[in-house]
Amino acid sequence: MLTRPEDVDGHASTVVSPPYPPAGDGALLTWRESLTAPPIVRSRERRAGRDDAAAGGQPRRQTVSLIIPTLNEAENIPWVLERIPSIVDEVIIVDGHSSDDTVKVARAVRPDVVVVNQRFRGKGDAVRVALAAATSDLIVMIDADGSMEPSEIYRFVTPLMNGYDLVKGSRYLAGGGSEDLTLLRRLGNSVLVWMTNMMFLVRFTDLCYGFCSFRRDCVPALALTAHGFEIETELIVRALKADLRIAEVPSTELQRRRGTSNLRTFRDGQRVLRTLLRERIIRKPRPVVDPIDQRVLQEWRTVAGDVCLAQASGHPLEERSLL
């Protein structure tokens, strides 16, 4: 049940969400239809002038993009792609210079997947590239290693359709949990959650967990700049500073299916800590300074040459090829 502090009339109200759907295509389609009717009145959106109604006065179904940063996840990506519920309209994979067949395997499993090559390095850059490529109203972010259950996407979409701007997963809420938290990671996360709650006067139960969702029209307010795993913390803290409406939902973290994680506990923990301290002190977002990979420079040089040849021959190059 999602509790909302105000209604259009200024009175307290409660929006009751149906239970999460069971697995199966029939249940997914039924749930998908239920997300569009009846339309939910959102006072905040009405004040901002947003209109989700389609022609004829019928509620317009809000589309969903799923973004998946990948780096050498050829063994894990099929499991993730095969379990994506039908409510997702667009799947975007951002490949971080994988040396295996991640992209080839992803396209074989799901031919409609949109593949965007990462220009720099790090999860933060991958997320920013994916956000720029997403075209749907709502965006869900999930990892490619199989540690997050795609069927939980409904938990992250439903609050957005009930007036929230950003939804973050929590392994510590009732109904959530983790099969992969070591004692060291659990301790570090607890300390960082405590610091975040003290610094920003909030009551989060989890912080360093990348399963989240947000409205696409809220992305510019986040002004993301992080390069590594600290992007998850920066996203949440920037949402707080932008006065966005945030919800936590329970989520279960599974063990990574195969391979070795790119997360480094001490290194990335320090980067998260620096992000918290910086965001608490500095009000304005820092500028983005990207280290450009030499391989990317060579690719850009090739594309630039193709553009010049196309202009000289009078045949314009397709815009998509420039990405």
Side-chain angles (χ1 to χ4, degrees):
M1 184 169 64
L2 304 177
T3 304
R4 299 184 59 190
E6 81 271 359
D7 200 356
V8 288
D9 298 323
H11 302 293
S13 65
T14 300
V15 177
V16 181
S17 299
Y20 301 126
D25 289 340
L28 295 178
L29 291 175
T30 301
W31 184 257
R32 184 173 185 173
E33 294 170 358
S34 72
L35 290 175
T36 64
I40 297 171
V41 178
R42 292 190 291 270
S43 59
R44 189 173 189 173
E45 291 178 0
R46 288 201 165 187
R47 287 196 300 269
R50 298 207 293 227
D51 184 11
D52 287 335
Q58 295 298 321
R60 180 178 66 84
R61 189 183 72 79
Q62 298 183 76
T63 54
V64 180
S65 289
L66 178 65
I67 62 176
I68 312 175
T70 62
L71 177 60
N72 298 326
E73 298 289 359
E75 294 183 310
N76 298 319
I77 197 65
W79 184 90
V80 177
L81 295 177
E82 290 168 356
R83 300 174 70 86
I84 295 174
S86 59
I87 191 176
V88 173
D89 301 278
E90 178 182 55
V91 179
I92 299 176
I93 285 181
V94 182
D95 186 60
H97 312 289
S98 294
S99 58
D100 63 4
D101 293 329
T102 296
V103 173
K104 182 179 179 179
V105 170
R107 284 177 168 152
V109 174
R110 183 157 181 150
D112 65 334
V113 70
V114 177
V115 177
V116 182
N117 293 319
Q118 192 173 335
R119 292 172 180 168
F120 315 114
R121 296 189 180 274
K123 184 175 182 179
D125 177 69
V127 171
R128 289 189 279 124
V129 170
L131 293 179
T135 61
S136 298
D137 304 302
L138 313 177
I139 300 175
V140 182
M141 184 169 73
I142 194 172
D143 286 349
D145 59 3
S147 62
M148 299 170 182
E149 174 56 69
S151 64
E152 290 185 357
I153 288 174
Y154 289 100
R155 303 185 182 188
F156 292 82
V157 170
T158 304
L160 296 179
M161 295 183 173
N162 282 269
Y164 286 90
D165 300 311
L166 184 145
V167 182
K168 61 186 294 291
S170 172
R171 296 162 290 186
Y172 296 93
L173 286 177
S178 176
E179 301 175 357
D180 193 44
L181 269 179
T182 63
L183 179 60
L184 181 61
R185 287 182 58 207
R186 189 182 300 272
L187 177 61
N189 186 68
S190 298
V191 172
L192 293 171
V193 169
W194 178 82
M195 291 184 62
T196 303
N197 291 342
M198 291 292 293
M199 288 179 178
F200 298 95
L201 303 179
V202 289
R203 292 187 296 179
F204 288 147
T205 61
D206 204 349
L207 182 66
C208 302
Y209 187 53
F211 206 160
C212 62
S213 65
F214 31 88
R215 302 186 64 88
R216 187 163 66 95
D217 56 13
C218 293
V219 171
L222 302 176
L224 300 174
T225 60
H227 291 282
F229 282 94
E230 73 275 10
I231 186 71
E232 300 163 359
T233 300
E234 184 184 64
L235 193 153
I236 300 302
V237 174
R238 292 280 176 89
L240 288 172
K241 296 169 72 172
D243 195 28
L244 300 186
R245 202 170 206 178
I246 304 173
E248 277 191 323
V249 297
S251 179
T252 300
E253 181 185 33
L254 308 174
Q255 288 188 350
R256 178 185 178 88
R257 298 189 64 78
R258 292 184 179 87
T260 304
S261 174
N262 296 305
L263 177 70
R264 298 295 178 265
T265 302
F266 287 103
R267 179 200 65 186
D268 294 309
Q270 291 176 356
R271 297 177 76 163
V272 170
L273 178 59
R274 287 198 298 268
T275 299
L276 285 175
L277 296 175
R278 183 190 70 237
E279 293 297 325
R280 182 63 182 87
I281 297 172
I282 302 175
R283 293 188 176 183
K284 291 184 178 181
R286 63 174 181 172
V288 180
V289 180
D290 288 321
I292 302 178
D293 190 90
Q294 184 175 356
R295 179 168 43 181
V296 176
L297 286 174
Q298 182 61 38
E299 292 175 356
W300 285 354
R301 182 177 179 180
T302 302
V303 171
D306 292 342
V307 171
C308 292
L309 289 175
Q311 291 176 344
S313 62
H315 299 289
L317 198 64
E318 291 185 6
E319 181 179 357
R320 186 74 176 179
S321 65
L322 298 178
L323 297 176

